[in-house]
Amino acid sequence: MTEENNTQGASYASAGVSIEAGDKAVELFAPLAKKATRPEVRGGLGGFAGLFALGEYEKPLLAAASDGVGTKLAVAQAMDKHDTIGRDLVAMCVDDLVVCGAEPLFLQDYIAIGKVVPEHVASIVKGIADGCEEAGCALLGGETAEHPGLMKEGEYDVSATAIGVVEESKLLGPDKVRLGDVVIAMASSGLHSNGYSLARHVLLEMNNLPLDGFVQDFGRTLGEELLEPTRIYAKDCLDLASECEVHTYAHVTGGGLAANLARVIPEGLTAELERNTWTPAPVFRTIARLGKVNQEEMEKTFNMGVGMVAVVAEDDAERALAMLTARHIDAWRMGEVRTANEGEERAFLTGEHKRA
C-alpha cells in the first residue's frame, strides 16, 4: 500500500456500504410508499418512528403479525424480477391478522440486501406498497440495510410486521366455533409463499426445468407460475365478517390446510374436510408427479389450492358463499364441524380430489 493510499484511510464506502445509494433508493420509493396510506397516519417518511392515530374504539385489541417470504425469493432473484415479492410479504402478514377479525392498520418492512441498487430496492418497495394498498393498510415505514460481506451483491431478504386492531366484542377465534358450523374454502392463487424449498428441489434441481420454459399445463412459463403473488384476502374477510356470522378464519400457510385449520378448532370438535369438493391447480399435480411426492407430504407442505378458510354458522353459509362469489373469490363448501371421535385430529381431509 502506498503512503498516499494509507493517508486516505478507510471509509464506509470502501467497506461496501453506499449512503448515497441508500438516499437515492429512498428518493425513488418515497412516492410509492406515500400512495399506501390511511387518514390515521401522522407525519411522513424520514422520521425515526412512524405515527398512527388509533381512532375511536370501546375496547380495542391490537394484533401483530410478522413474516417473510422464504425461498420464493430465490426464484425472484434468479429471474431478476422483484416487483411482486412485496405483495407476498404483505399477504403473509395481513392475512394472519384477519384470522382473529383484526383490520390491518399499518405495516413496516425490513429489507436486508448485499448491495443497494436504488432501482432494485424501489422495485421491491413498489410490490410492498401495492400490497398495502390492496389490503387497505398504510406502509408506515421500514428499513433498508446494506450487508456487504454477509450477502452477495444480488441477494436480499425481506420481512415485515403488520399491526391491526379489533374491537374486543368482535374478536374471532376457536371459542366462537360451534357444532354444525360450515367450513368454506377460498381458492389460492397458486403456491403462495410456502413450500418453495420442496418445489425448487423437485422442479429446478431434480428435473432441471428452466424458469423461462413454457409449461403447457400452466399456460405460461415456470418462472411466471412460481412468482404468482400470494392472494391478499384481508378486505374480503373483513367485509364477510361484517355481513355474516363468521366464527373464525384460518390462513393456510406452512403446515398445510388441515394443520392450520386445526389451530382454530376447539377441543372436542373436529373439522371434516372433503377433498372431492375441489381439484388442486396443475402446479401441485406437477410437483407431486415429477417429484414422486406422496399425498401426505404434499398436504403438509403446500396449500393445495386453498389459501384461506372461513368457519361460518350453518344458517349463513349460502349467504357467505354468495358474498365471496360477488367479490370474485372462488369459494366453496368444503366440510363441516362435528363432534370429534376419540383420537381424531381437530381437522382432517377425507376422500379423493376431483380429477382435472
Side-chain angles (χ1 to χ4, degrees):
M1 182 181 294
T2 66
E3 183 177 347
E4 181 181 0
N5 287 337
N6 205 24
T7 58
Q8 288 180 348
S11 67
Y12 215 7
S14 67
V17 177
S18 172
I19 294 175
E20 290 77 14
D23 290 342
K24 177 63 175 177
V26 172
E27 181 183 326
L28 290 176
F29 69 60
L32 304 172
K34 287 178 180 177
K35 289 172 58 183
T37 190
R38 288 173 57 117
E40 301 96 329
V41 173
R42 301 292 182 265
L45 293 175
F48 285 91
L51 300 175
F52 193 95
L54 188 55
E56 298 295 326
Y57 293 88
E58 292 182 9
K59 290 186 177 180
L61 297 177
L62 292 179
S66 299
D67 214 331
V69 178
T71 59
K72 188 172 187 174
L73 288 169
V75 179
Q77 291 165 23
M79 295 181 65
D80 194 24
K81 179 173 173 54
H82 315 286
D83 60 347
T84 62
I85 211 75
R87 298 176 75 96
D88 294 286
L89 181 63
V90 174
M92 295 302 287
C93 294
V94 300
D95 286 344
D96 275 357
L97 290 182
V98 299
V99 165
C100 68
E103 177 187 5
L105 299 177
F106 60 85
L107 178 140
Q108 291 198 307
D109 65 80
Y110 180 84
I111 303 170
I113 193 164
K115 179 178 176 58
V116 170
V117 177
E119 293 77 12
H120 185 174
V121 174
S123 184
I124 298 170
V125 175
K126 179 186 184 301
I128 298 172
D130 288 345
C132 285
E133 280 193 90
E134 186 174 340
C137 68
L139 178 53
L140 197 57
E143 173 74 8
T144 301
E146 197 167 25
H147 290 168
L150 186 63
M151 305 176 82
K152 295 178 182 178
E153 186 169 317
E155 292 180 350
Y156 63 91
D157 196 5
V158 296
S159 63
T161 295
I163 303 297
V165 65
V166 58
E167 194 72 70
E168 186 177 42
S169 62
K170 297 181 180 179
L171 185 67
L172 306 179
D175 61 308
K176 297 286 181 72
V177 176
R178 297 289 182 266
L179 182 68
D181 281 353
V182 173
V183 181
I184 291 176
M186 299 180 219
S188 69
S189 56
L191 296 178
H192 281 187
S193 298
N194 295 104
Y196 273 78
S197 293
L198 178 55
R200 288 169 51 244
H201 175 63
V202 169
L203 301 174
L204 307 182
E205 296 170 10
M206 289 178 59
N207 290 276
N208 296 311
L209 299 181
L211 287 170
D212 60 357
F214 184 84
V215 180
Q216 190 68 41
D217 283 349
F218 303 162
R220 54 183 172 178
T221 68
L222 175 61
E224 289 170 336
E225 178 70 29
L226 294 181
L227 278 191
E228 178 66 36
T230 305
R231 178 167 283 164
I232 296 173
Y233 301 92
K235 284 185 176 180
D236 303 300
C237 288
L238 291 171
D239 286 351
L240 187 67
S242 70
E243 297 291 335
C244 296
E245 189 180 340
V246 176
H247 291 158
T248 191
Y249 291 105
H251 185 199
V252 185
T253 55
L257 175 55
N260 280 285
L261 183 55
R263 296 164 65 181
V264 294
I265 301 297
E267 187 175 354
L269 297 178
T270 187
E272 184 173 350
L273 313 175
E274 299 286 346
R275 291 189 186 94
N276 63 13
T277 58
W278 87 100
T279 303
V283 65
F284 301 105
R285 300 196 300 272
T286 299
I287 292 170
R289 177 175 55 83
L290 293 181
K292 296 181 173 59
V293 186
N294 64 45
Q295 181 171 276
E296 181 182 1
E297 187 68 20
M298 288 293 296
E299 290 181 344
K300 74 179 184 182
T301 304
F302 301 107
N303 65 59
M304 298 304 291
V306 180
M308 182 69 77
V309 170
V311 180
V312 305
E314 184 177 15
D315 289 347
D316 257 2
E318 292 306 314
R319 186 182 179 200
L321 286 168
M323 279 191 65
L324 291 169
T325 299
R327 297 182 70 91
H328 307 291
I329 299 289
D330 184 12
W332 63 95
R333 183 172 177 148
M334 182 172 54
E336 65 178 28
V337 176
R338 61 167 175 78
T339 302
N341 297 320
E342 187 176 350
E344 271 189 330
E345 301 290 339
R346 296 193 185 185
F348 66 95
L349 289 145
T350 184
E352 299 295 330
H353 286 296
K354 289 180 180 178
R355 294 192 179 274

